[in-house]
Amino acid sequence: MKRILCIIFSLLLMVFVFPFSVLANNADTIYLSPVSAKAGETITLPVSYKTETGIYVARIFIEYDQNVFEFVKTENLNERFGHTSSFKDGVVTVIADGRDVANVTGDFRLFSVTFKVKEDVEKIGYFLKIKGEASSIKSDEGKTEVVSNFVSDNSVEIYVVCSKHKFTVPHSDGKKCENCEAIELSSSGEIVLPSPEQDDTPPKVNNENGEKETDKNDMTEAVLLIGASGFAVILFVIVLLFLRKRKKEAA
C-alpha cells in the first residue's frame, strides 16, 4: 500500500508541476512600455519581443480605443526584420518578417507605433492591448519546418493628462488638477505628471461600457484543465484503493 501511495504522490507532482513548466518555458512575451501623454499630444511606443525559442516571423495586433487614440504610423526598429502594417476598426496589424532564414532570440525591439491622443478625452487611464502570433524555424535531420510559438498577451496603460490644467484640488505637495492627476509643486511651481505602471494582470481594452475586462489565455486554460482533470482521476483511484482496502479488512 505504501508503494502505491508513493506512486500516486509522484503522479500528483507531475500533474501540477509539468503544466506550469510548459507555460513558463514555451511562452514568448510581447510588450509595450507605459507612458504619460497630454490630450492632443502624439505618442510613440516601442514594441518589444522576448523569446528563448526564437522567431522568424510574427504577426502582431495592437487594439486601441478609437474614441481616445488615432493611429498615425509604425516605424521599423530592427534591421533583422522588415515589417508591413495596416489598421482597421481599432486594431493595428503588423507583420514582422525576418530578413534571413534564421531564428532571432533574446529581448529586442521590433518596431514603434505612433498614436495621437484626441483633445476631448474624459478619463485618465486608457489601455492599449497587444497580442501576437509567431513562428520559428526548426531543423531536424536536414529537414526544415516552420512551427508556431506560444505568445502571451499583454497590455499597457496610457495616462492622459490635460493640455490645460486647473490646479484647484489641495495636495500635500501643492495642488492637483481637477481634471487629471497632474500636481503643481508648491515649492518650485514644477508640474509633475502621474507615473504609469505596468499591470501584473493586464486587462483588455475598455469595452463598449467603459469596463476593463481581464484577458484569459486559451492555452493557459487548457493546461490548467489538464492538470485539474489529472488530479480528479488520481483522486478517484485513491478512493477506490481505500474502499478496496476497507473491504479486505472487513472480510
Side-chain angles (χ1 to χ4, degrees):
M1 185 66 182
K2 290 183 179 180
R3 184 178 179 183
I4 295 176
L5 289 176
C6 288
I7 294 174
I8 292 173
F9 182 71
S10 299
L11 290 173
L12 282 172
L13 287 177
M14 291 176 64
V15 166
F16 281 101
V17 173
F18 177 73
F20 290 102
S21 65
V22 168
L23 286 175
N25 292 333
N26 292 344
D28 292 356
T29 304
I30 188 167
Y31 59 95
L32 295 159
S33 299
V35 298
S36 294
K38 292 182 180 180
E41 188 176 48
T42 298
I43 57 173
T44 298
L45 302 96
V47 175
S48 300
Y49 199 99
K50 185 176 181 180
T51 174
E52 294 182 5
T53 305
I55 62 169
Y56 167 60
V57 63
R59 186 166 60 164
I60 297 159
F61 309 94
I62 304 171
E63 299 178 10
Y64 62 97
D65 189 336
Q66 297 180 88
N67 296 318
V68 180
F69 303 102
E70 292 179 3
F71 171 69
V72 178
K73 63 179 179 178
T74 60
E75 290 188 6
N76 193 40
L77 296 179
N78 197 317
E79 61 182 9
R80 292 172 291 183
F81 292 89
H83 89 283
T84 58
S85 63
S86 60
F87 68 99
K88 182 181 181 181
D89 299 332
V91 179
V92 178
T93 302
V94 179
I95 298 176
D97 195 356
R99 299 187 188 277
D100 300 319
V101 185
N103 292 329
V104 179
T105 60
D107 190 348
F108 49 87
R109 291 182 173 183
L110 279 173
F111 59 91
S112 66
V113 58
T114 301
F115 293 98
K116 181 178 180 181
V117 183
K118 293 187 176 181
E119 294 278 0
D120 54 347
V121 293
E122 298 177 354
K123 295 183 291 185
I124 297 171
Y126 297 91
F127 287 88
L128 299 175
K129 182 184 175 185
I130 185 167
K131 56 184 179 179
E133 302 168 352
S135 298
S136 56
I137 297 175
K138 182 180 179 181
S139 298
D140 186 17
E141 297 182 354
K143 297 181 180 180
T144 301
E145 61 177 332
V146 177
V147 297
S148 297
N149 294 17
F150 169 52
V151 185
S152 59
D153 297 350
N154 213 330
S155 70
V156 65
E157 186 170 12
I158 309 298
Y159 274 66
V160 178
V161 296
C162 306
S163 54
K164 295 182 179 179
H165 299 293
K166 296 181 180 179
F167 295 108
T168 59
V169 181
H171 187 273
S172 58
D173 295 325
K175 292 183 178 180
K176 190 191 311 187
C177 176
E178 64 184 41
N179 297 320
C180 70
E181 295 186 355
I183 299 171
E184 183 181 44
L185 301 179
S186 57
S187 58
S188 61
E190 181 185 357
I191 297 175
V192 178
L193 302 181
S195 299
E197 297 180 356
Q198 198 97 19
D199 193 351
D200 292 333
T201 55
K204 288 184 177 179
V205 177
N206 292 356
N207 60 22
E208 294 178 355
N209 300 321
E211 300 169 343
K212 298 168 186 175
E213 303 173 321
T214 302
D215 178 52
K216 296 181 178 180
N217 189 279
D218 293 338
M219 183 172 180
T220 303
E221 289 183 347
V223 171
L224 293 179
L225 181 61
I226 292 171
S229 301
F231 175 75
V233 171
I234 293 172
L235 185 62
F236 180 70
V237 173
I238 293 174
V239 172
L240 286 180
L241 290 173
F242 177 76
L243 292 176
R244 184 179 178 183
K245 181 182 178 184
R246 291 289 298 271
K247 187 176 180 179
K248 286 183 177 180
E249 290 175 351

